[in-house]
C-alpha cells in the first residue's frame, strides 16, 4: 500500500500539538505562512502573475484562476451527472474540498495526483477520512461546521456505485488541475479563487437554487466589493485595517466576499489572520464551504461561520461562537485524556521492565 504524506505541509506550519484556541477567540493569529512583501504590490502587474517560490513555479497558477476553477466545477459536475450521482451533492463537493485541503509535499516530490489515483477504492475512502480527521485536530470548529461534506465517509458500507462515484469525481478534479489552484505554499495564491463555489453551483439543480434564494456573485463583483469593504474600513478608522477588526458577511455563500477582502488586505501587506472574520448563510452546504475555504485561504484563528437566516437570527454569529468554543473544549478534553492514557501506559511499561530486570 502506498503511504501518502498528505499532511507534510500541515506539519511544517503547525505546532506538533494542535493549538488551544482561546475561548474569547481574540488571541494571536494561528501559525500561517507570512505575507511576503513581494506579494503586496500597490499597482502595476498583479502579484498573481509573478510567483516567486519554486513551488509556485512548478504549480503555475493559471492566468485566469476563476476560469480554471469553473472548468474544475464543470469537470466534476459532468463526472457526477454522467455517472448518475443524484441529489447527494455533498459528496462531490466534499471530495473537492478535501483535495483542496492538501498540498504536494515539495517541488521535487512524487506526483501526488498519480499516487492518489493509484489507490484502490477502500484506500481512497480511508484517505479522505484521514484528510478530514487531520484538519479536525487543528480546527475542530470549522471542520464540524463542514460536517455535511464529510459525514458520508463514515458510512459502514459504501456501495459499489458510491465508490465508483468517488473515484470518478476524484479523477475529474485532479485531471482538471485542482492542485494548480490550491497546491501553493503562499496563501495569496491559494486564495486566488474559490474552487468550491463552481462545484456547488453546477451540481445543484436550478430549482434547488431558487428554493434557497441562492445567487452566485460574479467574480468581478466580489473582487470590487472586497476592495470597497477595505476602503470603507480605511475611511472609518483613518488608516489601514487594524488587527482585530471584524469583517462579516451576513449572506456569505461559499465566502467569496471574505476571500476578496482578504486578498485586498494581502495586497496592502496586511495579514488577514490578524482580523476577525464571520460569515452566515442559511444553506448548510454553503456555510460548510465557507468553513473549508477559511482554512484553504488562511483567514486565521478568529473565524466564525454560522448556518442560519441572518434576517431572523441576528445573534447567529454569537451563537456560532459559543458552539465553536464548546467544540474546541471537547477537542482539548479528548487530547488531555489521550495524553493521560499514553502516560499511564508508559508508566506501566517502565514498571514491567523494572520488575523483569
Amino acid at each position: 500500500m502506498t503511504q501518502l504524506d498528505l499532511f507534510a505541509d500541515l506539519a511544517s506550519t503547525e505546532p506538533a500539538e494542535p493549538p488551544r484556541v482561546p475561548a474569547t477567540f481574540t488571541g494571536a493569529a494561528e501559525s500561517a505562512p507570512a505575507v511576503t512583501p513581494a506579494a503586496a504590490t500597490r499597482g502595476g502587474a498583479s502579484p498573481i502573475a509573478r510567483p516567486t517560490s519554486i513551488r509556485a513555479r512548478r504549480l503555475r497558477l493559471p492566468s485566469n484562476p476563476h476560469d480554471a476553477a469553473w472548468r474544475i466545477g464543470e469537470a466534476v459536475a459532468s463526472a457526477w451527472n454522467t455517472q448518475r450521482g443524484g441529489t447527494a451533492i455533498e459528496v462531490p463537493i466534499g471530495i473537492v474540498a478535501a483535495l483542496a485541503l492538501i498540498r504536494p509535499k515539495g517541488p521535487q516530490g512524487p506526483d501526488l495526483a498519480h499516487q492518489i489515483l493509484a489507490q484502490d477504492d477502500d484506500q481512497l475512502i480511508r484517505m479522505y477520512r484521514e484528510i478530514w480527521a487531520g484538519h479536525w485536530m487543528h480546527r475542530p470548529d470549522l471542520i464540524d461546521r463542514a460536517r455535511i461534506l464529510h459525514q458520508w465517509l463514515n458510512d459502514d458500507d459504501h456501495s459499489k456505485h458510491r465508490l465508483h462515484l468517488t473515484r470518478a469525481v476524484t479523477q475529474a478534479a485532479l485531471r482538471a488541475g485542482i492542485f494548480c489552484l490550491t497546491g501553493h505554499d503562499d496563501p495569496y495564491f491559494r486564495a486566488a479563487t474559490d474552487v468550491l463555489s463552481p462545484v456547488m453551483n453546477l451540481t445543484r439543480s436550478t430549482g434547488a437554487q431558487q428554493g434557497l434564494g441562492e445567487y452566485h456573485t460574479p467574480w468581478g463583483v466580489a473582487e470590487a466589493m472586497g476592495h470597497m469593504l477595505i476602503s470603507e474600513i480605511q475611511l472609518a478608522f483613518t488608516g489601514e485595517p487594524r488587527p482585530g477588526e471584524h469583517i462579516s458577511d451576513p449572506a456569505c455563500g461559499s465566502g467569496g466576499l471574505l476571500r476578496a477582502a482578504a486578498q485586498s488586505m494581502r495586497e496592502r501587506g496586511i495579514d488577514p489572520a490578524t482580523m476577525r472574520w464571520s460569515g452566515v448563510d442559511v444553506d448548510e452546504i454553503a456555510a460548510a464551504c465557507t468553513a473549508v475555504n477559511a482554512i484553504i485561504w488562511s483567514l486565521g484563528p478568529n473565524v466564525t461561520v454560522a448556518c442560519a437566516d441572518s434576517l431572523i437570527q441576528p445573534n447567529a454569529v454569537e451563537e456560532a461562537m459559543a458552539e465553536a468554543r464548546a467544540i474546541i473544549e471537547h477537542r482539548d478534553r479528548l487530547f488531555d485524556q489521550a495524553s493521560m492514557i499514553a502516560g499511564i501506559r508508559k508508566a506501566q511499561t517502565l514498571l514491567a521492565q523494572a520488575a523483569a530486570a
Side-chain angles (χ1 to χ4, degrees):
M1 173 179 173
T2 303
Q3 180 66 37
L4 301 181
D5 192 0
L6 297 173
F7 304 106
D9 289 339
L10 187 65
S12 66
T13 58
E14 298 281 359
E17 181 179 348
R20 296 174 185 262
V21 181
T24 57
F25 279 67
T26 57
E30 65 185 347
S31 176
V35 178
T36 59
T41 58
R42 293 178 178 269
S46 166
I48 291 179
R50 296 187 285 113
T52 56
S53 68
I54 295 175
R55 172 79 60 77
R57 287 196 294 271
R58 184 186 182 217
L59 296 171
R60 188 173 298 279
L61 198 67
S63 58
N64 190 324
H66 302 316
D67 283 351
W70 196 259
R71 287 193 295 272
I72 292 170
E74 289 177 330
V76 168
S78 176
W80 179 253
N81 293 325
T82 300
Q83 302 302 323
R84 302 179 184 273
T87 59
I89 63 171
E90 65 274 9
V91 174
I93 300 172
I95 290 171
V96 174
L99 292 173
L101 285 169
I102 63 177
R103 296 191 292 281
K105 183 176 181 179
Q108 305 303 324
D111 185 343
L112 184 56
H114 176 75
Q115 284 189 325
I116 291 172
L117 293 176
Q119 298 181 104
D120 63 32
D121 292 341
D122 290 337
Q123 291 170 341
L124 200 58
I125 292 293
R126 191 179 309 121
M127 179 199 76
Y128 282 125
R129 286 175 177 166
E130 290 174 358
I131 291 170
W132 289 105
H135 283 277
W136 180 88
M137 290 191 296
H138 293 281
R139 290 307 304 263
D141 52 328
L142 295 179
I143 297 301
D144 187 75
R145 176 61 66 199
R147 186 189 310 122
I148 191 173
L149 300 183
H150 56 79
Q151 61 185 358
W152 60 271
L153 287 162
N154 296 326
D155 293 347
D156 292 333
D157 186 21
H158 292 276
S159 67
K160 290 184 178 180
H161 186 228
R162 171 65 60 80
L163 294 173
H164 180 72
L165 285 167
T166 299
R167 180 168 298 280
V169 170
T170 300
Q171 185 177 71
L174 291 173
R175 289 184 173 177
I178 188 172
F179 287 156
C180 290
L181 293 176
T182 63
H184 302 278
D185 287 329
D186 191 333
Y188 186 85
F189 290 92
R190 291 198 307 276
T193 190
D194 177 0
V195 297
L196 300 183
S197 178
V199 180
M200 182 174 64
N201 280 278
L202 292 170
T203 55
R204 175 168 279 161
S205 68
T206 301
Q209 292 184 37
Q210 292 175 345
L212 289 165
E214 209 168 65
Y215 174 74
H216 173 72
T217 304
W219 309 115
V221 174
E223 298 284 356
M225 291 175 66
H227 284 281
M228 288 172 60
L229 179 63
I230 301 306
S231 297
E232 287 178 3
I233 293 175
Q234 287 181 286
L235 290 174
F237 295 98
T238 64
E240 299 286 5
R242 296 174 296 183
E245 300 293 353
H246 186 190
I247 314 299
S248 181
D249 186 351
C252 62
S254 58
L257 178 58
L258 303 182
R259 183 199 66 80
Q263 292 297 78
S264 180
M265 288 182 185
R266 289 184 172 117
E267 289 167 5
R268 290 168 162 79
I270 302 169
D271 186 354
T274 62
M275 305 295 169
R276 291 179 57 224
W277 301 88
S278 66
V280 184
D281 202 278
V282 69
D283 176 20
E284 185 179 10
I285 290 181
C289 288
T290 296
V292 174
N293 277 331
I295 299 174
I296 297 170
W297 301 335
S298 296
L299 295 188
N302 299 316
V303 179
T304 305
V305 181
C307 181
D309 187 337
S310 57
L311 294 178
I312 61 177
Q313 294 177 258
N315 297 323
V317 172
E318 289 75 12
E319 293 171 1
M321 289 179 67
E323 293 174 5
R325 284 194 291 269
I327 292 168
I328 291 170
E329 290 169 0
H330 173 67
R331 186 276 313 267
D332 291 344
R333 286 195 297 272
L334 290 179
F335 281 1
D336 288 341
Q337 292 171 4
S339 297
M340 181 177 67
I341 292 173
I344 292 173
R345 288 178 176 173
K346 183 177 181 180
Q348 289 173 335
T349 299
L350 292 174
L351 288 172
Q353 291 174 346

